[in-house]
Amino acid sequence: MKKIIHSVFLLVVCNIFLQGTETGGLIRRPCAFKGRILFTDDRISALYTLEDGDIRKIAEGRGIGYHISQSPVRDVIGTKIILDNGLQVPVLYDLKKDEIIRLQAPVSRAGQVSFTRNGVAAWTSGNRLHLSDGRSCDLPGYANLAPVSPDGKWVVSNDDSDQLWLTDIGSGKHIRVSPILEEAFYNPQWSPDGKSILFSSVGGTLWVYSLETGTARELTEGQSAVWKNSSTILFHRIDVKEGKAIN
């Protein structure tokens, strides 16, 4: 990775009260997607679109708004629904067809959906990763978030001790990503070029793993980190002095 420019900025949380709408009052987890805004409500039990000033409920189900991924090639998003009996189902929602597509039968532990740059969907079922092109592989453990690499060759996921591992989807080989520390790690994110993985420790430290060097590099303390592009990470940090936030 050429360089990381880390910018501290004010993260504006969108908790907008909308009177007279069916959202229950609160907008949660808003994101832009192909000319519209997608968001969920305070119970994360429904998905809505905001387009040309109009709000429309497009899908509902327990937990459906917890994590939304976007296909880069189609008007399709991926998420997970928890049924009334507690079983879990990874699903696609086709915005053009207004249709929910179940990726598999309900199971006790299923993961969220991610996409390759060509639009192949990937999700976990128990300790196994499945892809919509028919491939699959075993993972070090069950992980709710197991993002597939942009080229579809790798997946990164947590094991049962919340350590992060790369898995070669073709061979099934596991490679450690997180440093050997007595700490848990979470929220792995691929850089757009697929050469680096951004992740966080529960203590609030940001790390980047390079596939080219096979090493993880500690960056700084920060929260809500995301890739802006393959060489830039955006995050926010709250500095506290004498018990008060100073930024």
Side-chain angles (χ1 to χ4, degrees):
M1 186 172 53
K2 297 178 180 178
K3 63 179 179 177
I4 296 291
I5 304 172
H6 49 284
S7 304
V8 179
F9 67 97
L10 177 64
L11 180 68
V12 180
V13 180
C14 188
N15 286 341
I16 303 173
F17 188 83
L18 297 177
Q19 296 184 359
T21 72
E22 57 179 339
T23 67
L26 291 175
I27 287 179
R28 299 290 194 192
R29 305 177 186 272
C31 61
F33 183 55
K34 298 188 177 181
R36 57 177 73 86
I37 301 296
L38 296 172
F39 64 94
T40 187
D41 54 24
D42 56 339
R43 294 172 295 178
I44 61 172
S45 60
L47 289 177
Y48 302 84
T49 58
L50 172 61
E51 189 173 7
D52 297 328
D54 294 325
I55 293 176
R56 184 171 71 94
K57 181 190 290 185
I58 61 172
E60 57 186 333
R62 183 177 158 198
I64 195 171
Y66 177 76
H67 181 86
I68 301 170
S69 59
Q70 305 176 2
S71 170
V73 298
R74 295 185 295 159
D75 284 349
V76 171
I77 58 176
T79 184
K80 180 176 80 172
I81 295 175
I82 303 174
L83 305 179
D84 291 340
N85 61 7
L87 296 182
Q88 304 175 8
V89 188
V91 300
L92 301 179
Y93 179 77
D94 189 316
L95 280 84
K96 282 189 174 181
K97 297 180 180 179
D98 195 20
E99 176 185 15
I100 289 181
I101 304 161
R102 292 190 177 190
L103 291 170
Q104 66 167 58
V107 293
S108 58
R109 294 191 302 177
Q112 302 289 347
V113 179
S114 63
F115 294 96
T116 70
R117 64 168 62 99
N118 294 326
V120 175
W123 67 96
T124 59
S125 179
N127 292 5
R128 195 162 179 83
L129 178 81
H130 298 271
L131 293 94
S132 58
D133 61 8
R135 293 178 294 154
S136 63
C137 67
D138 288 328
L139 300 176
Y142 166 73
N144 183 49
L145 295 177
V148 67
S149 62
D151 62 8
K153 295 180 179 180
W154 301 89
V155 60
V156 58
S157 64
N158 287 82
D159 63 14
D160 295 335
S161 299
D162 283 327
Q163 302 301 299
L164 288 170
W165 296 82
L166 267 178
T167 300
D168 184 321
I169 296 173
S171 69
K173 179 182 178 181
H174 304 309
I175 302 171
R176 188 181 183 95
V177 169
S178 53
I180 302 175
L181 299 172
E182 293 183 1
E183 193 168 14
F185 300 90
Y186 70 103
N187 195 30
Q189 302 175 55
W190 288 95
S191 60
D193 63 9
K195 295 180 179 180
S196 303
I197 301 168
L198 168 67
F199 61 98
S200 302
S201 73
V202 294
T205 301
L206 301 178
W207 294 77
V208 168
Y209 176 88
S210 168
L211 271 72
E212 294 180 338
T213 65
T215 58
R217 181 163 63 96
E218 181 179 343
L219 297 181
T220 185
E221 293 183 355
Q223 298 173 321
S224 305
V226 295
W227 290 100
K228 179 183 179 182
N229 53 48
S230 294
S231 61
T232 306
I233 292 168
L234 301 178
F235 65 93
H236 81 280
R237 182 171 61 213
I238 300 174
D239 293 325
V240 178
K241 183 177 182 180
E242 297 179 354
K244 296 182 179 180
I246 59 175
N247 61 10

